[in-house]
Amino acid sequence: MEVSLASLVQPASSLMVVGLNHHTTPVELREQLAFSDGALDASLPRLVDAETIREGAILSTCNRVEVVAHTPDLDTADEKIRAFLAEEQRVALPHFAPYLYTHTNQEAVSHLFRVASSLDSLVVGEPQILGQVKDAYNVSSTLGTLGTVLHRCFHKSFSVAKRVRTETSIAAKAVSVSSAAVDLACTIFDHLEDKTAMVIGVGEMGEQAVRHLRGRGIGTIMVTNRTFRRAVELARTCNGTVVPFDQLDKHLHLTDMVIGSASSPHYILYSGMVEEALEERKRSPMFLIDLGVPRNFDPRLNNLDNVFLYDIDDLEQVVEDNRGERQVEAVKAEAIVAEEVEKFWRWFVNQEVTPTIVALREQAEMIRSREVEKTLAGLAELSPQAKESIEALTRSLTNKFLHPPLAYLKQRHHNSAKREAEYTQESASPHVIRQIFGLDTPEE
Amino acid sequence: MEVWLLTLTLLLYLLSTVSFIVGLFSARPVVRTVAPGCLLAACVCHAGAIAVRSLTVGYFAVTDMYEALSFFACLTAAMGLLVQWRLPVSILGAIVSPIGFILTLGVYVFYTQAGALPPTLQSAWLPIHVTAAYLGYAVFVVAFSASLVYLVQEKQLKQKKASSFLRRLPSLETLDHLNYRSLAWGFLLLTLGLLSGAVWAGYAWEHFWIWEPRLILSVLTWVFYALLLHYRSAGWRGRRAATLTIACFAALVVSFVGVQFFPGRHGGQFG
């Protein structure tokens, strides 16, 4: 029985992701295919219909355009989505078809989970993507293009992303020099709200570092530069105060962090100067970040107690190490994703299978009790024991008959972890069982 | 009952040690709630053991070597728990848990049957004197731990080794602040311990002070801490303060252990 059923059909419904991303597709093409927020509202309802695409959502960011769909027919849906993209964005299909990928079933779920967890991002672990996935979910949810399956799939992707975030340190590592510097500041200082940072010079690196510091809530920022006017400009953008360059040493003791990003042929900070400042600030620690090339600060400053000096090479090294650690963390994250895909898939298959099991049992019981009733009506003289035996006999018969299909359905549920290829070959859908047993045809 | 509780305590200290160490390397939030839970359970069990002993003997059980060690271990663990509950320094748990474990192992070695309280110790000053002094010692363990972690963290920062382990350690500022605060509290408690001891001696021996190694060493330790605290407030921060805190703690341990070898009138057999 299993063999004949197995050769019949595909699973009743499937999940799929069709799209393209930054890994393979040039930005010019991604731009053309990206949906603006407003455009999504108009386009998305055209994607979803009752037959081919039951549920659908579109994730469109500057790095990816992806359509997530729940469909009873993978091939037709794939074609439809491709045509949809071409039509909506007015780009000829052959133009972008080579870049498109199609993930189906577990792979589709896995892809969505990986995207939401920022494992598929350009900078692995960057936090924005989860927000973008949530936006995509909200838009399609408002437009009513989601059903039970995708609702749950998206919600799962959020919780997977959260698990990845809390259980691995994939997002905890800075991957730019300026954010690495700010991270280090947090291992020296408890909080930055009551700290003062001084920026010497108006180089771009320094400016970035200041922006990061502002983002982490630094208390005060002082800016100094040889050309006073440019210091004023920078101070205005970062809401800082300006210190005249020749009064730098007088303000040094007030600063907990000094960022050097000046282009200067010789050292701007040297031991004597910093030591005086340290005395004055009762040896409170100072964090010196030298982003200048050639270096702005005397490297021997690192030998002073309570002074921590990092130059651009040190920071590059930190960033490099972080990248390496991110790779290690990514392996852990992939394991979490795999585990959650498995859980979700079990649910997905189960929600298809359970109603069929229930319907099958109910139908059998209905037939059985009706037939028993008919028979017993004509055998009024039978003893209660004999009636009981007939009941038992019929129950046992239906159970024996139902056993193979029920076992088959349950097994299908348990084998859901199998690779998709094996899966479609070996199993038929609950849909087929429903047809064979006439579960969907109304009783005459 | 008492030994049974102590065995349970020992197991819980071990469990807490393991979970704190796992917590240092794992990012799973579960571990970070389990570890303090184990330590709390250990403290409660330990306090239970001490309470049972006290009820059995009918006085505050802190007089002989066994009792004193047990009391000190319990206070240290409780202090570590308290601090790491109030401040983001879960590393402290990873230090006080093994200390609690080792001290409790020592408790087994020195285990004595409950006996009657010697008449010289029958005084209301006993709990005050012992609690103040031992609480002070426990707080100094915290200061010592904070300094130890400070030195590790500082060295890593200076050598520019930004490992993920480094990030799990508290910031230098937090550690330095903890060092200062625990030094101040510890010193206050130690002073109270000495003063209450002197007053008690005044009643019991009719002298506030006798020249005896235990007392001299204790006062010497007190002077060390007083100097350290003085220089700290004058601006000795960071590495220097941490190194000196460790040195002072070493002095404390030496006097603590050293006095065991000198006979004297100072009551009890410990501290």
Side-chain angles (χ1 to χ4, degrees), chain A residues 353-364 406 409 434 439:
Chain A
V353 165
T354 312
T356 309
I357 294 178
V358 172
L360 205 52
R361 282 221 182 94
E362 275 174 357
Q363 172 172 289
L406 286 181
L409 282 168
R434 298 186 84 94
L439 296 181

Side-chain angles (χ1 to χ4, degrees), chain A residues 151-444:
Chain A
H151 262 298
R152 190 175 170 103
C153 194
F154 270 97
H155 274 285
K156 267 285 145 194
S157 78
F158 307 152
S159 65
V160 173
K162 194 177 168 209
R163 256 195 85 187
V164 166
R165 194 153 290 262
T166 50
E167 290 177 27
T168 73
S169 44
I170 194 148
K173 316 283 173 170
V175 282
S176 73
V177 164
S178 49
S179 59
V182 179
D183 268 7
L184 279 168
C186 291
T187 62
I188 297 172
F189 304 115
D190 195 12
H191 36 74
L192 298 178
E193 287 78 13
D194 57 351
K195 301 293 179 293
T196 301
M198 176 160 21
V199 198
I200 305 175
V202 290
E204 201 189 323
M205 292 283 252
E207 208 180 318
Q208 268 180 33
V210 168
R211 258 207 304 278
H212 266 104
L213 281 174
R214 266 280 173 247
R216 300 272 191 105
I218 184 105
T220 316
I221 289 177
M222 294 190 221
V223 183
T224 184
N225 190 47
R226 281 219 172 78
T227 325
F228 189 74
R229 190 177 48 80
R230 300 199 55 197
V232 175
E233 280 166 22
L234 178 58
R236 196 175 297 139
T237 61
C238 67
N239 200 11
T241 52
V242 183
V243 171
F245 193 73
D246 53 2
Q247 284 177 29
L248 177 115
D249 50 347
K250 292 197 183 66
H251 288 82
L252 202 55
H253 71 278
L254 296 172
T255 61
D256 304 284
M257 296 173 70
V258 187
I259 299 160
S261 77
S263 47
S264 161
H266 34 249
Y267 298 140
I268 299 171
L269 285 193
Y270 41 88
S271 289
M273 212 168 146
V274 174
E275 238 171 325
E276 255 173 55
L278 272 176
E279 273 317 311
E280 207 158 337
R281 52 192 273 114
K282 286 193 168 183
R283 309 223 140 247
S284 271
M286 288 177 84
F287 183 27
L288 311 180
I289 304 155
D290 190 348
L291 301 172
V293 180
R295 284 178 291 182
N296 292 172
F297 306 157
D298 186 343
R300 280 168 301 184
L301 282 168
N302 196 43
N303 300 333
L304 292 178
D305 251 4
N306 299 328
V307 172
F308 302 90
L309 169 65
Y310 277 69
D311 65 26
I312 187 96
D313 282 0
D314 301 331
L315 292 169
E316 295 274 14
Q317 189 56 48
V318 172
V319 169
E320 198 51 45
D321 294 350
N322 284 350
R323 287 214 182 97
E325 279 185 51
R326 274 199 185 196
Q327 291 307 317
V328 176
E329 292 300 310
V331 175
K332 284 192 217 164
E334 295 288 356
I336 293 175
V337 167
E339 190 187 320
E340 295 289 338
V341 168
E342 162 71 25
K343 272 194 223 158
F344 176 81
W345 196 250
R346 202 169 285 171
W347 170 84
F348 179 63
V349 175
N350 197 26
Q351 57 94 36
E352 280 191 318
V353 165
T354 312
T356 309
I357 294 178
V358 172
L360 205 52
R361 282 221 182 94
E362 275 174 357
Q363 172 172 289
E365 176 56 24
M366 203 178 68
I367 295 171
R368 188 197 68 82
S369 53
R370 199 174 53 201
E371 295 305 314
V372 167
E373 216 171 288
K374 262 196 234 161
T375 311
L376 290 185
L379 296 168
E381 71 280 8
L382 275 188
S383 69
Q385 285 98 326
K387 283 183 183 170
E388 192 54 45
S389 302
I390 290 177
E391 285 275 350
L393 166 73
T394 52
R395 217 171 266 132
S396 140
L397 271 177
T398 44
N399 283 347
K400 290 257 156 66
F401 271 116
L402 280 183
H403 183 258
L406 286 181
Y408 175 80
L409 282 168
K410 283 178 186 163
Q411 194 203 354
R412 182 187 140 87
H413 167 51
H414 286 299
N415 285 357
S416 62
K418 279 191 184 173
R419 302 288 312 154
E420 193 192 339
E422 285 173 58
Y423 179 49
T424 45
Q425 268 175 13
E426 281 180 12
S427 54
S429 74
H431 185 61
V432 177
I433 304 235
R434 298 186 84 94
Q435 280 188 338
I436 291 174
F437 287 91
L439 296 181
D440 297 324
T441 40
E443 285 282 317
E444 292 118 40

